[in-house]
Structures are given as C-alpha cells and as structure tokens.
Amino acid sequence: QVQLVESGGGLVQAGGSLGLSCAASGRTFSSYAMGWFRQAPGKEREFVAAISWSADSTYYADSVKGRFTISRDNAKNTVYLQMNSLEPEDTAIYYCAAAIITKRVVAGELDYWGQGTQVTVSS
C-alpha cells in the first residue's frame, strides 16, 4: 500500500517557476514508477511526466518537454516536479501517481493517486 500527498502548488505569474513535491508512505515506494498528471477545468486528466523506480528513465508530455523536470529521492520517499517557464495553459490540479512499471504510468494505468494540488498561472 502506498499513500501519496502532494504539496507545493500555488499561484504564479506566467514565465515563473514552481516546484511540486509528492511524499509517499510505505516501504515499497522505491519499487514503484511515479508520475505526475494534471486536470484543467472542463478537461480530462492528462499525463505530464513519469520516472522509473531507479530514476534512469524519464518521460514527458510534449506540452511540457523542456520546461518541466521530474525527479525522485528514494531515500526520502519523495518525487518532485520542477516547473519552469509556466504558461496560463499549465493551470490545473496536479496529481501524483504510482504504478509498478513505468509504461503503465505513461499509459495512465495507475495503482495509487494523491489528492492533488492546485497550480494557477496568471497571465
């Protein structure tokens, strides 16, 4: 069992940066691939980024490639999302999620979800 709690959301101006964290409970965190998803008002939830359990592989949605960076610290049971050059279109609730293998994260086939944290980018 893995419980996920996101933090770090907030309000930022366009062009600014924000860092999200996702703290996981449970001894098996390092066994899971992790990902970030987001859902904007009136839109479906979409994939943002994923990272393998060992952090040797990362994947990004085209819309955030080059601006966002996913990372993890297995010793701290935490996964991060650094967001730079933010745009109003990045406004959404951001969710942390886990699955046993990375391709399932990318496919949206998740085993665990966090409760989400709001990110608002003003123009």
Side-chain angles (χ1 to χ4, degrees), residues 12-105:
V12 64
Q13 288 188 332
S17 298
L18 204 59
L20 304 183
S21 298
C22 173
S25 64
R27 295 175 295 174
T28 58
F29 170 78
S30 61
S31 300
Y32 283 85
M34 301 295 297
W36 288 93
F37 290 74
R38 67 186 182 186
Q39 187 167 19
K43 295 187 177 181
E44 294 187 353
R45 192 175 299 185
E46 64 174 358
F47 168 76
V48 175
I51 188 167
S52 62
W53 69 269
S54 63
D56 62 351
S57 297
T58 57
Y59 303 87
Y60 296 93
D62 288 342
S63 59
V64 306
K65 202 171 294 183
R67 300 188 298 122
F68 290 12
T69 302
I70 188 171
S71 61
R72 68 188 295 164
D73 185 338
N74 287 342
K76 295 183 178 180
N77 279 13
T78 302
V79 63
Y80 306 95
L81 185 69
Q82 179 63 38
M83 304 182 292
N84 299 327
S85 301
L86 282 161
E87 304 167 352
E89 293 74 22
D90 296 316
T91 295
I93 299 174
Y94 282 72
Y95 298 89
C96 174
I100 202 65
I101 56 176
T102 312
K103 67 177 181 180
R104 287 187 58 189
V105 176

